[in-house]
Amino acid sequence: MKIQQISCTQFAGIRNKSISLTDGLNVIYGKNESGKSTLVNLLSRTLFQNARIDGRKDKEFRELYFPGAKRGSSVAGDFADGSILFTSEKGVYTLSKEWGQDARCTLSTPEGVIRDPKKIEEALREVLLYGEGVYGELLFSSQRNADLSLAAMLDAARKTDAKQEIMEAVTIAFAESDGISVDSIEAAIQGKIEELAGKHWDVANGLPLRKAGAGRWTKELGKVLAAYYQWQDAKAVLEEIVRLEAAADQAAIEYSRQNDSAQAAESAYESFQRFAGRLQDQQDLKKAMARINDDLEKYREAVERWPRMIKGLAQSRALQQQRDNRMRLDMYETLKATAEEKQQLKAKLVDISCPEPTELQVVKTAQRNLTHWENQLCGMNVQAAIEMFGGQQIEMTSLRTGQKLDLAGCNGRITEAVRLEVPGVMTMELSPVDVDAKAIEGQIGEARAAISDILSKYQVSSVEELEALAGNVAEDKAKLALVEAKLIAALGETSFAELEQSVAMITAPVAEKDVIDREIYQLLGGKDLDKTIIATDARIEAYTSQYGSVEALQEQITEARCELAKMQDALAAGEEIPADFQEITNPEQYLAMLKQEVTTKRQRREEALTAKTAAGSKLEHYLETVTVAPAANLEKAERDFREQQALLDCWLHIAAVFADQKEVLTDNPMQDIAERFAHYLGVVSGGKVVSDFPEKDKLAMEIYSDNQVLDYGKLSEGTKETVSLAFRLAVLDHLFPEGGVIVFDDPFANMDADRTGAAWQLIRDAAQRHQVLFFTCREDYPEESAANLIQI
Amino acid sequence: MIKIFVTGDNHIGLKYASHPQGPVLAAARLEAFQGMVANANAQQCDFFVITGDLFENTYGIAKKEIEKLTEVFAQFQGIVAVLPGNHDYYDEEGKLWQQFQDVIKTKDNILLLTEYRPYRLSMNDAEVMLYPALCTSLHSAPGENNLGWIKNQDMSDSHCYHIGIAHGAVVGETIDSEGQYFLMSREELADIPVDVWLLGHTHVPFPQNLGLDLAPTGEKIFNPGTHVQTDVSCNTSGVCFIIAISEDKTICAQQIPSGPLRFCRKHITLTAGEMETILERELADIPDNSVVDVVFSGAVTIEEYESRASLFQQALSRFIEGTYRDGALSKLISEELIRREFPETSFSAGLLLALLDKPQEAQLAYELLKSLKEAK
């Protein structure tokens, strides 16, 4: 931007003034009170003072710049105005403002004229690049404002610490121009975040950080977590109430259910109890009827079968008689020969003497002994040579047989014991050694006598005959026994004579067996006749025993039918008993079961009532401990928590914006300004005043003079002007590297000649790059040939 | 013809513990009955029916309150029939109804409906059968209600008025997603041949189009809502119904305003320079008998912000209770203010300008920077 013209109708003490300006150095000079500073103010106010002014807020403006505003002023003028003609790369602009009753603001741009204050502000911003802060306080600062700026730069609150004061005096004009360090802002924002988030809040998830082991954090909670815990507590209270209410409900519902169930059981019991007696009677009646029906059935069967059985029995018995007669007859015929044989054998055996077995034994034993003894007497082998003298005869008798032996016949050879006798002369017995021939001979004699006795008794001649006789007798006896056995087998205990006698008594003709069998079969089928007769007889006997007679039974049937009819009448009279109950077969047992059911269900009801009362008490006691309205408290706690959370979000966003803003500072404009400032400071002071920057990224500057650190108290007015000039030029160069506008209002008033010369040279150099409006009351500067000289 | 004054969900004993004016609000619920009974008498009603939740709960109701209430009931010229609802569910072992029954022994016109059976009443030659579907617990088993026994009743006697009284949620009228508030459907109710259903539980009345004069409605199901608005979540004015049933069973109904107390929560967004105007405009339509809770947001001028407390208190003072939260309200941090307070080149100014579109954050940052500046 380059300013071409500044003009006004009236602005403070100047009227109808217009000055034209050029690029480079413009020296506006005039005597004191000629309006130089007013022109500087006209420039900044026209650019930045709203046309519409507030009576209270802008009172100072009105008093300063409205010609007739001051109380008691005789000067007319109820408004002020100003107009600036300037150029930019886009073209020519004219900004006109009038403050007062008919406030107005107009900006003529290359595109057209604007009256909307906001649009004018936007258009100016585009051209000026910076706002009132840069122009009003630094670049277009009037003498008075320059003093104020300088004062602001140097007038630190803590005047005892010169180093800090000077540093602040410098930094206050720029990024930390408000005296607040970026670090302190960052720390304060972080402090706010920590105050809210504490150490345990998970910002990303909106929840507390997980704590090792369950439980809550107790320290360094932060407002959000504290509010969160309060919210959770409030929620827990409501949840506990809901839980206890649900438990109470459940218990109440259960009680209601058990009560219904118990009442139903009681009702069922009472209902059934009213009918139980009658139902029992009815059941008894039914049972009795069933019994009678059963009896009647039996009676009917008996009365039907009984006569048939009698008739059948008679037939059976007739057939049985026929069959028995036939059997007797047949048996008689069969046994008749056997019986005769028996008689014959018996007769035979009566006539025959039969040796007894003992006798046979005796004979056999005697025979055996005889043989033994004879053998003893045998076995000799003697050759006798006998010569008889005297004609004597010698007789040789076998001791064994007692018979005479012919000596001649045996050629003198004697093989058995013998007695040799010469009658009247001698006897000699020859026998085997060790054989008592005599004794044996006696024994043999006895044996032969015994045998002979028995044989003669039975008129037999030999033992064999005797044995044959015994055998024959035995055979006949066996035959007799067999015959007798046959008879016994056929007749049993009956004798043949009895059979014969019974047969003799059969007078009627008897059918043949096959005829009789056929008739039996026709009558009984395959049943056994005898068993049938016995069974039928027994049944008839039983009927007779049970009922007496068929007639008596028929009477009994009649009586039973009468009784049954009476019972049916009684049963019909009891039909009002509910159908369900009528199905119950054992009312007494059923009633007992219902009673047990009542007892059980009453017990359950009691238990449910106890549980219900306990659940209700638990809820009630819990509610007594809750002093707030739980739902409202929960709502409030949640709102509090949400507010704290929203606040944290705000601060987190502020921190994010802060970080972005800080990022912009990474180029470190301070360093550029500080270096330029140090350079200009050295130039103006001739190297006597220097600055140092111990920290490269901060404008933490120390100012020295003659190697002495300057504190505020040692700063002269001239040095203050030096610092101010150097700083303003440094800022101008930094902000407008392509050229800007700066106003100097008597900047060297207190500098010595050397510094004035150096400063003036510095300004002239600056005018090569920037448009400089140099206001002064001195006459010597206008002689500068390179300058556009304007006298006011 | 019979005339029935119907009310319900009265929640006597509601303490409003979180409200500064809790006792006043609690008393308003009880005091409203004076007017209701007077109105019922003036309209020559035969019955005064309470459709459940007469009381807030079953354990914390003072006997004095029961006595006061029943004294008012006793002034009614007809019969007062009280149905236990889910909040004051009937429990013969419970203190509430034992005390209630004890108190009404001396009053011969109050009938507590405690059994699932028809109650036969005679009034001015009219025979009336009440069929109560009372509650015996706070919640029901899911999807269950207490209408079952009524479905089996013989209602063929056309000379008798058959009145069903039930307490519970109604599909389409009340939110009961889990069906734990004795949920009933309109179809289920319509299928039961009573002449009229008098319901409770839904604090908002239905039908909602009843006029202030007795007129035929074509409706059979009536829920008078609450007689005095209970809280801000129940957006309704307190009303009661009068139902008239003629001999030919034509039903006429009207609504009777019974509780002027209103609860209101407003979110008011204020803008700079207009705080007072907006406040006046936003609160203008809210009647004095209201409990008002305002949440302020927006950004106002510093002057407005500084004076907000007194302004809000003054604006809310005409209500029975006026509370507010202004955590979301902030000072308007304008560019002009930033430039006035902070040098343009300063970091502070840059930070604040970057936050201008977030008024609350701008204010927070502004306050922070001011405090830092003042601490220097």
Side-chain angles (χ1 to χ4, degrees):
Chain A
M1 182 186 76
K2 297 288 185 256
I3 299 170
Q4 301 291 320
Q5 191 178 58
I6 304 169
S7 60
C8 69
T9 306
Q10 57 179 8
F11 189 82
I14 55 178
R15 297 184 65 184
N16 297 320
K17 179 70 75 183
S18 177
I19 59 170
S20 296
L21 303 168
T22 62
D23 288 354
L25 182 61
N26 295 273
V27 177
I28 301 103
Y29 66 97
K31 295 182 184 302
N32 288 336
E33 299 304 320
S34 61
K36 297 187 296 298
S37 295
T38 303
L39 267 178
V40 174
N41 288 333
L42 174 63
L43 178 60
S44 66
R45 292 303 89 206
T46 303
L47 284 172
F48 299 112
Q49 181 69 49
N50 283 337
R52 197 172 299 280
I53 55 173
D54 183 83
R56 191 175 53 183
K57 198 173 72 180
D58 299 318
K59 185 182 175 189
E60 186 184 3
F61 176 85
R62 179 187 287 274
E63 286 181 354
L64 281 173
Y65 304 120
F66 279 30
K70 279 189 179 172
R71 190 170 292 175
S73 170
S74 58
V75 181
D78 57 359
F79 74 96
D81 71 317
S83 178
I84 302 169
L85 176 68
F86 56 93
T87 60
S88 75
E89 290 173 352
K90 288 188 175 178
V92 179
Y93 294 78
T94 304
L95 175 66
S96 300
K97 281 186 183 169
E98 182 177 318
W99 301 275
Q101 194 73 28
D102 298 320
R104 58 187 170 77
C105 175
T106 307
L107 176 66
S108 170
T109 72
E111 288 86 23
V113 178
I114 308 169
R115 286 190 186 280
D116 182 340
K118 279 203 174 298
K119 287 183 178 172
I120 290 172
E121 195 175 336
E122 286 170 13
L124 283 176
R125 184 83 182 181
E126 195 178 334
V127 176
L128 299 176
L129 299 180
Y130 299 97
E132 189 178 7
V134 168
Y135 286 99
E137 293 180 15
L138 280 171
L139 303 182
F140 290 178
S141 186
S142 67
Q143 178 63 44
R144 181 169 170 271
N145 286 347
D147 290 345
L148 290 172
S149 294
L150 186 61
M153 283 190 282
L154 300 179
D155 183 18
R158 299 171 64 192
K159 293 179 180 176
T160 53
D161 190 342
K163 176 184 164 188
Q164 181 67 17
E165 286 160 2
I166 292 171
M167 186 198 76
E168 287 183 359
V170 175
T171 58
I172 200 167
F174 207 72
E176 297 180 354
S177 55
D178 49 7
I180 308 166
S181 72
V182 175
D183 286 347
S184 68
I185 296 172
E186 186 169 26
I189 291 172
Q190 285 308 318
K192 289 288 184 187
I193 290 171
E194 281 175 19
E195 182 186 342
L196 288 161
K199 298 284 185 192
H200 315 297
W201 186 251
D202 182 346
V203 174
N205 293 312
L207 288 169
L209 291 169
R210 191 178 293 277
K211 188 172 187 286
R216 288 182 169 186
W217 301 101
T218 53
K219 294 177 180 173
E220 299 177 301
L221 297 185
K223 289 181 177 175
V224 175
L225 186 51
Y228 177 82
Y229 281 157
Q230 284 191 350
W231 177 38
Q232 295 302 309
D233 288 344
K235 202 189 279 186
V237 168
L238 206 60
E239 284 171 355
E240 180 63 4
I241 290 171
V242 169
R243 191 187 69 76
L244 290 172
E245 280 180 353
D249 278 350
Q250 196 55 43
I253 290 168
E254 179 59 16
Y255 169 72
S256 180
R257 204 171 64 81
Q258 293 297 349
N259 188 36
D260 290 348
S261 181
Q263 285 177 349
E266 286 165 355
S267 171
Y269 174 76
E270 286 163 13
S271 173
F272 185 71
Q273 195 181 30
R274 283 192 289 126
F275 295 102
R278 282 153 65 189
L279 190 61
Q280 186 63 56
D281 293 345
Q282 201 179 64
Q283 294 294 336
D284 292 344
L285 205 56
K286 281 181 179 173
K287 281 180 188 169
M289 286 169 69
R291 254 194 328 272
I292 291 173
N293 272 321
D294 289 346
D295 289 348
L296 276 172
E297 189 60 32
K298 281 192 289 182
Y299 295 165
R300 273 193 292 272
E301 187 185 344
V303 84
E304 183 188 323
R305 290 180 66 187
W306 198 349
R308 278 196 286 117
M309 286 166 69
I310 290 170
K311 185 181 171 189
L313 184 61
Q315 287 174 327
S316 296
R317 279 186 171 150
L319 283 171
Q320 188 185 42
Q321 188 64 46
Q322 282 274 320
R323 185 201 65 187
D324 290 350
N325 287 345
R326 169 48 55 204
M327 280 173 65
R328 274 195 289 275
L329 283 173
D330 289 350
M331 191 179 290
Y332 177 75
E333 289 301 322
T334 304
L335 296 178
K336 191 176 175 182
T338 306
E340 284 174 1
E341 187 182 2
K342 179 187 169 187
Q343 290 303 319
Q344 286 171 359
L345 284 170
K346 272 182 110 174
K348 186 181 174 184
L349 286 171
V350 167
D351 295 337
I352 294 174
S353 167
C354 180
E356 293 298 320
T358 52
E359 290 172 327
L360 269 176
Q361 187 62 37
V362 168
V363 170
K364 283 180 180 178
T365 302
Q367 188 67 42
R368 196 167 48 247
N369 288 338
L370 194 60
T371 302
H372 174 68
W373 290 328
E374 283 178 354
N375 286 341
Q376 278 186 318
L377 295 177
C378 292
M380 291 172 42
N381 194 12
V382 177
Q383 187 69 38
I386 303 170
E387 280 185 29
M388 288 305 292
F389 301 109
Q392 284 290 40
Q393 285 296 310
I394 195 167
E395 291 176 0
M396 186 174 62
T397 305
S398 176
L399 291 179
R400 181 176 61 95
T401 61
Q403 290 178 346
K404 302 261 193 232
L405 293 174
D406 182 8
L407 273 171
C410 60
N411 295 326
R413 193 176 180 185
I414 302 170
T415 57
E416 60 183 301
V418 290
R419 181 182 298 121
L420 295 173
E421 185 178 9
V422 177
V425 176
M426 67 96 177
T427 63
M428 182 184 66
E429 289 181 358
L430 293 175
S431 62
V433 180
D434 298 332
V435 172
D436 186 354
K438 206 165 194 73
I440 291 171
E441 188 183 6
Q443 286 171 332
I444 288 172
E446 286 173 6
R448 283 182 178 152
I451 292 168
S452 180
D453 287 346
I454 293 170
L455 293 177
S456 58
K457 182 182 177 183
Y458 291 102
Q459 299 174 346
V460 290
S461 57
S462 65
V463 174
E464 287 75 23
E465 283 179 11
L466 183 67
E467 283 182 334
L469 176 62
N472 289 335
V473 172
E475 189 179 345
D476 287 341
K477 280 185 178 176
K479 280 181 184 174
L480 179 62
L482 184 62
V483 169
E484 283 179 340
K486 271 185 184 176
L487 289 171
I488 289 168
L491 296 171
E493 293 177 355
T494 308
S495 67
F496 184 75
E498 287 170 341
L499 174 64
E500 195 171 31
Q501 191 179 358
S502 69
V503 167
M505 289 174 71
I506 298 169
T507 56
V510 178
E512 291 302 317
K513 183 175 181 294
D514 57 341
V515 174
I516 296 167
D517 285 346
R518 194 161 51 244
E519 286 182 11
I520 290 171
Y521 187 82
Q522 284 173 352
L523 182 65
L524 302 177
K527 289 180 185 171
D528 183 82
L529 177 64
D530 297 326
K531 286 181 183 172
T532 304
I533 288 169
I534 292 166
T536 307
D537 203 29
R539 184 71 57 84
I540 290 170
E541 180 61 33
Y543 280 163
T544 308
S545 167
Q546 191 171 358
Y547 306 121
S549 65
V550 174
E551 292 72 24
L553 177 58
Q554 282 171 336
E555 271 182 33
Q556 219 168 328
I557 289 172
T558 307
E559 284 173 10
R561 282 178 176 157
C562 281
E563 194 177 350
L564 191 63
K566 284 179 188 171
M567 285 180 176
Q568 277 171 336
D569 290 345
L571 195 63
E575 273 178 0
E576 69 273 16
I577 293 172
D580 289 349
F581 292 166
Q582 289 184 19
E583 301 297 322
I584 295 161
T585 52
N586 189 337
E588 194 176 346
Q589 190 181 11
Y590 187 72
L591 191 64
M593 186 270 286
L594 287 179
K595 193 169 185 180
Q596 180 58 41
E597 190 84 353
V598 168
T599 307
T600 305
K601 292 196 167 171
R602 278 179 177 166
Q603 177 63 28
R604 286 182 190 159
R605 179 170 61 188
E606 282 304 309
E607 288 167 2
L609 178 61
T610 305
K612 187 186 85 160
T613 308
S617 297
K618 214 169 177 182
L619 172 64
E620 199 171 326
H621 289 148
Y622 184 75
L623 288 170
E624 281 170 4
T625 66
V626 179
T627 53
V628 293
N633 188 47
L634 174 62
E635 186 195 359
K636 179 182 175 300
E638 184 176 2
R639 285 166 75 178
D640 288 345
F641 165 67
R642 301 285 177 214
E643 274 188 14
Q644 292 299 327
Q645 207 178 25
L647 200 55
L648 175 59
D649 288 343
C650 285
W651 280 112
L652 288 169
H653 184 246
I654 290 169
V657 172
F658 171 87
D660 291 344
Q661 294 289 310
K662 195 178 174 186
E663 187 69 24
V664 177
L665 289 178
T666 52
D667 292 341
N668 196 7
M670 300 300 149
Q671 187 67 21
D672 180 48
I673 291 168
E675 285 171 6
R676 291 176 192 274
F677 171 60
H679 170 69
Y680 295 144
L681 193 61
V683 169
V684 176
S685 67
K688 288 181 180 174
V689 178
V690 295
S691 60
D692 184 32
F693 305 93
E695 296 177 60
K696 297 294 180 192
D697 58 343
K698 285 188 175 178
L699 198 59
M701 180 178 62
E702 290 179 333
I703 294 173
Y704 297 85
S705 177
D706 295 332
N707 294 325
Q708 293 287 315
V709 176
L710 293 176
D711 62 21
Y712 184 80
K714 289 176 183 172
L715 282 178
S716 66
E717 291 302 310
T719 300
K720 287 177 184 172
E721 286 179 352
T722 302
V723 169
S724 174
L725 177 68
F727 185 74
R728 293 178 72 205
L729 279 174
V731 170
L732 178 67
D733 284 346
H734 178 79
L735 296 181
F736 297 96
E738 303 299 324
V741 187
I742 189 166
V743 171
F744 291 108
D745 189 5
D746 267 338
F748 321 136
N750 297 296
M751 289 185 193
D752 59 26
D754 290 345
R755 285 192 185 182
T756 301
W760 178 239
Q761 185 56 45
L762 202 60
I763 287 171
R764 284 198 299 179
D765 290 346
Q768 299 300 313
R769 306 184 298 277
H770 308 287
Q771 184 184 33
V772 176
L773 310 186
F774 188 93
F775 290 83
T776 181
C777 58
R778 293 171 62 174
E779 297 283 336
D780 48 349
Y781 298 114
E783 291 174 3
E784 174 55 53
S785 58
N788 172 31
L789 299 175
I790 303 162
Q791 184 177 13
I792 57 170
Chain B
M1 185 182 79
I2 60 166
K3 277 176 100 174
I4 310 167
F5 191 96
V6 192
T7 181
D9 295 303
N10 314 101
H11 291 272
I12 301 301
L14 190 58
K15 294 207 166 21
Y16 294 101
S18 61
H19 286 264
Q21 297 296 324
V24 174
L25 305 180
R29 308 199 71 77
L30 184 56
E31 286 161 6
F33 272 90
Q34 287 281 5
M36 288 153 63
V37 168
N39 206 319
N41 284 335
Q43 298 276 352
Q44 295 183 317
C45 291
D46 302 298
F47 297 95
F48 192 102
V49 172
I50 288 144
T51 58
D53 287 356
L54 174 61
F55 298 105
E56 166 67 3
N57 55 49
T58 59
Y59 48 82
I61 309 302
K63 193 171 181 182
K64 267 188 181 177
E65 280 189 303
I66 298 172
E67 285 169 344
K68 275 186 196 171
L69 188 64
T70 50
E71 282 301 327
V72 180
F73 286 165
Q75 293 165 22
F76 180 60
Q77 294 161 355
I79 293 171
V80 178
V82 179
L83 180 86
N86 70 312
H87 274 265
D88 55 1
Y89 60 86
Y90 182 69
D91 175 6
E92 61 184 350
E93 309 293 330
K95 195 169 66 178
L96 171 69
W97 294 114
Q98 283 181 352
Q99 287 184 339
F100 188 86
Q101 283 172 317
D102 186 40
V103 169
I104 64 172
K105 275 178 190 166
T106 55
K107 277 89 178 168
D108 58 3
N109 72 327
I110 303 172
L111 173 65
L112 178 63
L113 304 169
T114 62
E115 293 176 63
Y116 296 116
R117 66 168 176 85
Y119 285 76
R120 178 177 285 277
L121 305 171
S122 296
M123 176 60 67
N124 301 331
D125 298 332
E127 289 294 314
V128 175
M129 292 287 265
L130 302 183
Y131 302 90
L134 62 140
C135 299
T136 54
S137 59
L138 181 58
H139 300 102
S140 62
E144 289 189 4
N145 59 41
N146 294 316
L147 300 177
W149 74 273
I150 306 176
K151 294 174 184 173
N152 303 322
Q153 298 301 309
D154 177 12
M155 300 179 194
S156 56
D157 182 1
S158 60
H159 299 297
C160 181
Y161 297 97
H162 301 279
I163 314 294
I165 309 172
H167 189 91
V170 174
V171 177
E173 299 288 353
T174 332
I175 296 169
D176 183 11
S177 54
E178 294 178 15
Q180 57 178 349
Y181 291 106
F182 309 93
L183 188 62
M184 301 171 277
S185 70
R186 282 186 170 275
E187 294 74 19
E188 188 180 17
L189 291 165
D191 285 346
I192 299 173
V194 293
D195 297 321
V196 68
W197 274 111
L198 308 179
L199 304 183
H201 184 68
T202 306
H203 288 204
V204 179
F206 57 83
Q208 292 189 340
N209 57 354
L210 289 190
L212 294 172
D213 296 319
L214 209 53
T217 66
E219 297 279 352
K220 175 179 164 181
I221 302 169
F222 295 89
N223 181 328
T226 181
H227 72 305
V228 176
Q229 188 184 2
T230 45
D231 53 46
V232 74
S233 65
C234 155
N235 185 20
T236 179
S237 60
V239 295
C240 302
F241 287 173
I242 290 179
I243 313 288
I245 310 173
S246 62
E247 287 172 3
D248 64 358
K249 303 299 174 74
T250 302
I251 296 169
C252 296
Q254 69 179 110
Q255 64 168 303
I256 309 287
S258 53
L261 184 63
R262 294 304 307 266
F263 288 79
C264 172
R265 175 172 292 160
K266 276 193 85 80
H267 289 261
I268 299 177
T269 303
L270 300 170
T271 53
E274 298 179 303
M275 186 167 91
E276 201 167 343
T277 311
I278 293 171
L279 195 57
E280 272 179 28
R281 185 181 68 224
E282 291 290 328
L283 298 177
D285 293 339
I286 303 176
D288 293 351
N289 285 326
S290 297
V291 176
V292 182
D293 181 33
V294 186
V295 177
F296 290 110
S297 60
V300 295
T301 65
I302 292 174
E303 292 76 18
E304 286 172 328
Y305 190 82
E306 298 303 334
S307 64
R308 70 191 188 286
S310 61
L311 190 64
F312 293 161
Q313 281 162 14
Q314 187 188 349
L316 295 170
S317 63
R318 71 181 172 89
F319 302 116
I320 288 180
E321 181 184 295
T323 52
Y324 67 91
R325 294 174 82 100
D326 61 358
L329 181 68
S330 54
K331 293 176 189 172
L332 179 66
I333 306 302
S334 65
E335 198 171 340
E336 184 187 357
L337 176 68
I338 295 167
R339 288 193 178 137
R340 194 161 69 229
E341 298 278 353
F342 299 95
E344 185 186 13
T345 55
S346 67
F347 190 89
S348 303
L351 178 62
L352 290 172
L353 288 170
L355 293 169
L356 273 181
D357 60 338
K358 302 274 187 187
Q360 191 181 0
E361 290 171 23
Q363 185 198 339
L364 289 169
Y366 174 82
E367 300 289 355
L368 179 83
L369 295 168
K370 284 278 282 181
S371 68
L372 289 172
K373 197 173 177 182
E374 283 162 9
K376 296 298 288 182

